[in-house]
Amino acid sequence: MFNYAFLIPVFPLLAFALIIFFFNRNNRLSALTAVAGILLAGVLAYSVLFEAIGHGPELAEKPFFQVLLGFLQIPTGKEVFSVGVMIDPLAAVTLFMVTTVCLMIFIYSIGYMQHTHTDEHGHKHTTDDPRYARFFAYISLFACGMLGLVISSNLFELFLFWEIMGLCSYLLIGFWSTRLPHEHHIDDAQTVRAKIAGLKAFLTTRVGDTIFFVGLVFLYIQTRDLNFTAIFTEKTLHHLAETQALPGVPWVTLIALLILGGAIGKSAQFPLHIWLPDAMEGPTPVSALIHAATMVSAGVFLLARTFPLYLTAAQAGGPAMTVVALVGAFTALFAGTIGVAQDDIKRVLAYSTVSQLGFMVAALGIGAYVAGAFHLITHAFFKALLFLSAGSVIHGVGTNDMMNMGGLRKKMPITTTVFIIGALALAGIPPLAGFWSKDEILAHAFERMQHGDTIGTAVFVMLAVAAFFTAFYMTRQIFLTFFGEGRDHHAVEHAHESPQVMWMPLAVLAFFATTLGLVNAAPLGISFFGHFVGEYVLGIHEPLEHTPFNPMVAGSSVGIALVGIALGWLLYGRKPLKTGERDPLMSLGLVWKVLRNKYYLDEIYGVVIAQKEGPAGKTGTVESVRVQPGWLLQLVVWFAGVCFAFDKAVVDGTVNLAAAIGRAFSEVSAWVDQTFVDGAVNGVGWLANELGDGLKLIQTGRVQNYLVVAISGATIFVFWFMIVISR
C-alpha cells in the first residue's frame, strides 16, 4: 500500500475541487463528498499503518521513499527537487491520527453547520449555513494540507503544504466575517472579531514561516538537497556540525533554531501564541481541526521530523535543544495560568491547547522523542473531543460564555459525559490516554533532574505546575458549564442534546481518549508505540534514551492533578455559582486582572480583540467589540510614519535635489551646446554656403571663360614664383 500513499492527500483535494466547481449548490452532496474524501483517505491511511507495522521499527532506518512522476519535479538550476512520498513509523501513526480525527470532525460538521432559531411566533426553524458547501470545501483542503505535509519526502514539499494550511486557517477563522441579513447564528460583533482574528492568525504565523523559510534556504545552500533521506545522513549532519555559520555557531545550530521559529508560529508557542485563542471566532469544527488534527500539530510534527538536526546540534554543543525545551516548558506554564481566568468555553480550551503543545515541544527539547510524539497523537483525540463537545454545548445553548451556563448535565447528558472523559484525559487521570503520554514526559524530565541537569529540573518543575493548572481549569470549566443551576435561564431552558450526527463522533473520540494510551502502557507490559516509533529514528544512528516507567513520578503527577481537581471542586463544585455571583478567583485582585487580560501581551504587541459586556452581561452589537492595535504595532506604525517622513524629506529630498541639479546642469549644457557647439557648426555651414553662393557666379558653362581664368591663374602663379625666387 506504500505505493499508493500519495493518494491520501489527493482524495480530500479532489473533494475540494468537486465541491468548488460542481457541487457547491447542493449542500448535502457537498458534505457527503467531503466525508467520502476523508473516508477514502482514512482507509488508505489505515492500510499504510498496518503495512508499516508489518515492517516494524526498522522502517525508520530505511523508510519507504518514492519519487513521483517527472512532471512534478521542480527544477532549481542544476539540482532538482523531487516531489515524493516518505513513509516511516512517525508518518504512519500521524496519518492514522489525522484521518480518524478529521473524519469525526467532518461528520460532526454536517449537524453543526445547521442552525436553529426561534421566530417571533415561537416556531423553531433549522437552516443550513449560507456558506455550507464552501465550509466543507475549505476543511477538505485543510485536511489535504496536513496529510500532504505528513507524507512529504523533503522540506520544500512540506513547506508548500504548510502554507496551504496557513491559507485555510485564514479562510476558516474568518469564515463568519460577513453576515447576511437573515443570518441569526452570528451577529455584527462576531463578524468584526472573525475578520480581525483571521488577519491576526495569518500575519502572526507568517512571522514564523518567514524564519522557517530562511532556515530552509540556509539548509539547501549547505547541503544542496532538502530530501530527508539525503540531509539526515551521517556525512551531511557531520558537515553541518563542523561548518561554522558564525563564530562559535555551527550551521546545524543556526538552521535548527530557524526551523524552530516556524514551529513556534504554527504551534502557537511563546511569543507567537497570540493568534490561537482568537482563532475561536471560526466555527467550532474549525477549532477542533486547528487544535487537534492539523494546524498546530504541524509545528510539533516538524520538530519531530527534523529531530536529527536538534540532536546533532546538541552533540555539537549548540543550545538548540535547550531553547526548544525552555520555550515549550514556559509556554505550558504560561498558557496554563491564563486558562484559569477565561469564561469563553472555547477560549479555555484554546489556552489548554497552547499549554499541551508546550508539553510536546518541551519533551522533544529534553530528548523525549517518543513521549512527545505519543502526546501529539493522544492529545489530538481528547482535544478534538473537548472542542466538539464545547461546540455541542454552544449549539444547544447559543452562547460561549460559561457564566451564562450551568445545569446542563440534565439537558445534555451525552455531551456532559464525553466532555468529562475528555477533561479527565487532559488532566492526566489514569487509565485515560492523556495520563500515559503526559506521565512519560514528566518521567523523562524527572530522570534528567536526578542526574543534576538544570534544564531537566526547570522543565520538570514548570510542567508539573502546568499540570496542576490544567486539572484546575478543566474542573472549573466542568462545574461552571454542567453543574449547579442555570445562570441564564432563557439559554439553559432552551438547551437540548445535539443530534445523533453530532454526538456519535463524540462517542468515537471518547473511546480513543479512553483506550489509546494503552498502546504504550509500560506498567501493563505494553510498549508498542515506543518500540514502533522510537526504536529507530531516521538520521539518528544511536539508540534514543528510553525512560522506564517511574511509579513515584506517575503517582506525583496523578496527585498533582487530583489537587487541582479538588481545588476546582472546592471553589466551583461545593457551592456552584448562582445567577449574578462573581467568580471566586476575582478575589485575587491584580493577579486575576493580569490573568484575565492574558498578561496584556495583546496590548503590548498583538491586536486586542475584546468584547465589552452589555447592560445585562449580554453581547451582540458591533459597538460592543473593541479592536485596537497593540503597543508594539502602534510603535511599528509610528516607526513606519517616521520612516515615511524621513523618506519623503531626506531620501526623496536628496533625489529631488539631485534631479534639480541635473536639470540645471542640463540647461547650462544645452545653452553651451546651442551657443558654441551648434554656433560653430552653423557658422561653418554658413561660410560654406556663402562661399558656394560666391563661387557659383563663376560657373558660366563657357570654356572660353574657364580658359581665361586658368591662364590668368597660371600667369599669377608664375609671376609669384619668380618674385619668390628672385628674393
Side-chain angles (χ1 to χ4, degrees), residues 137-189:
Y138 286 169
I139 62 174
S140 294
L141 184 61
F142 210 165
C144 166
M146 184 61 187
L147 293 170
L149 180 146
V150 171
I151 66 172
S152 293
S153 63
N154 63 70
L155 276 169
F156 182 74
E157 181 184 351
L158 182 150
F159 185 77
L160 294 179
F161 286 108
W162 179 278
E163 290 303 308
I164 288 175
M165 285 197 292
L167 169 64
C168 291
S169 67
Y170 168 74
L171 295 173
L172 287 166
I173 293 171
F175 189 76
W176 282 330
S177 58
T178 59
R179 178 176 182 264
L180 301 177
H182 62 278
E183 290 189 77
H184 303 278
H185 58 285
I186 57 176
D187 54 38
D188 292 332

Side-chain angles (χ1 to χ4, degrees), residues 616-685:
K618 303 293 184 181
T619 58
T621 63
V622 70
E623 290 79 16
S624 69
V625 178
R626 175 171 59 91
V627 178
Q628 68 181 50
W631 298 339
L632 182 59
L633 289 186
Q634 292 176 355
L635 178 62
V636 170
V637 171
W638 172 83
F639 183 69
V642 171
C643 291
F644 175 75
F646 178 82
D647 179 73
K648 188 174 182 180
V650 180
V651 179
D652 287 354
T654 303
V655 172
N656 294 336
L657 177 61
I661 294 173
R663 285 195 302 270
F665 182 76
S666 65
E667 290 174 358
V668 173
S669 298
W671 179 81
V672 171
D673 182 70
Q674 292 173 359
T675 304
F676 296 101
V677 179
D678 288 354
V681 172
N682 294 336
V684 172

Side-chain angles (χ1 to χ4, degrees), residues 451-484:
H451 286 84
D453 180 52
T454 305
I455 301 302
T457 303
V459 169
F460 178 79
V461 171
M462 285 190 281
L463 294 186
V465 177
F468 164 79
F469 282 113
T470 300
F472 174 74
Y473 63 64
M474 290 310 300
T475 305
R476 172 179 180 268
Q477 188 171 40
I478 288 173
F479 282 112
L480 285 179
T481 304
F482 299 105
F483 291 86

Side-chain angles (χ1 to χ4, degrees), residues 10-127:
V10 170
F11 288 126
L13 180 62
L14 181 60
F16 165 77
L18 289 174
I19 295 170
I20 289 294
F21 293 110
F22 301 104
F23 303 155
N24 57 82
R25 295 184 180 277
N26 189 321
N27 288 342
R28 291 295 166 270
L29 184 57
S30 296
L32 293 176
T33 300
V35 171
I38 196 63
L39 178 61
L40 291 173
V43 170
L44 194 51
Y46 274 68
S47 301
V48 167
L49 175 63
F50 293 143
E51 185 170 346
I53 293 173
H55 283 78
E58 292 78 11
L59 181 63
E61 277 194 316
K62 296 181 179 179
F64 172 79
F65 188 88
Q66 178 188 35
V67 177
L68 299 181
L69 298 178
F71 66 83
L72 292 179
Q73 293 179 330
I74 306 169
T76 56
K78 294 181 179 180
E79 291 80 17
V80 172
F81 279 129
S82 57
V83 177
V85 172
M86 191 184 81
I87 301 295
D88 68 344
L90 177 65
V93 297
T94 307
L95 288 174
F96 151 76
M97 177 271 287
V98 173
T99 53
T100 304
V101 174
C102 282
L103 178 61
M104 297 302 107
I105 294 173
F106 281 32
I107 295 173
Y108 174 96
S109 300
I110 295 175
Y112 187 86
M113 294 307 289
Q114 293 179 317
H115 310 298
T116 301
H117 73 279
T118 305
D119 61 20
E120 61 275 12
H121 304 295
H123 301 132
K124 290 187 176 182
H125 302 274
T126 300
T127 57

Side-chain angles (χ1 to χ4, degrees), residues 395-554:
H395 192 267
V397 179
T399 179
N400 290 34
D401 191 349
M402 295 187 298
M403 301 306 290
N404 292 331
M405 298 180 189
L408 293 179
R409 73 184 190 279
K410 297 178 181 179
K411 294 292 188 76
M412 309 180 71
I414 298 175
T415 300
T416 302
T417 302
V418 296
F419 191 96
I420 291 174
I421 291 173
L424 293 177
L426 176 61
I429 301 300
L432 304 178
F435 163 75
W436 303 105
S437 55
K438 186 183 293 185
D439 175 72
E440 191 168 349
I441 296 172
L442 291 171
H444 195 96
F446 182 77
E447 185 176 9
R448 289 190 55 169
M449 183 176 70
Q450 283 188 313
H451 286 84
D453 180 52
T454 305
I455 301 302
T457 303
V459 169
F460 178 79
V461 171
M462 285 190 281
L463 294 186
V465 177
F468 164 79
F469 282 113
T470 300
F472 174 74
Y473 63 64
M474 290 310 300
T475 305
R476 172 179 180 268
Q477 188 171 40
I478 288 173
F479 282 112
L480 285 179
T481 304
F482 299 105
F483 291 86
E485 64 178 32
R487 288 176 292 280
D488 185 332
H489 298 291
H490 176 76
V492 175
E493 181 184 353
H494 293 88
H496 56 84
E497 186 61 84
S498 297
Q500 187 174 6
V501 72
M502 291 175 63
W503 66 255
M504 283 297 291
L506 298 180
V508 174
L509 291 171
F511 169 78
F512 281 108
T514 303
T515 62
L516 189 60
L518 298 177
V519 301
N520 206 42
L524 304 180
I526 305 172
S527 57
F528 164 75
F529 188 91
H531 177 69
F532 180 56
V533 174
E535 187 79 13
Y536 303 101
V537 177
L538 176 64
I540 300 176
H541 307 285
E542 298 177 358
L544 293 176
E545 298 179 33
H546 175 68
T547 305
F549 178 76
N550 189 323
M552 183 178 71
V553 175

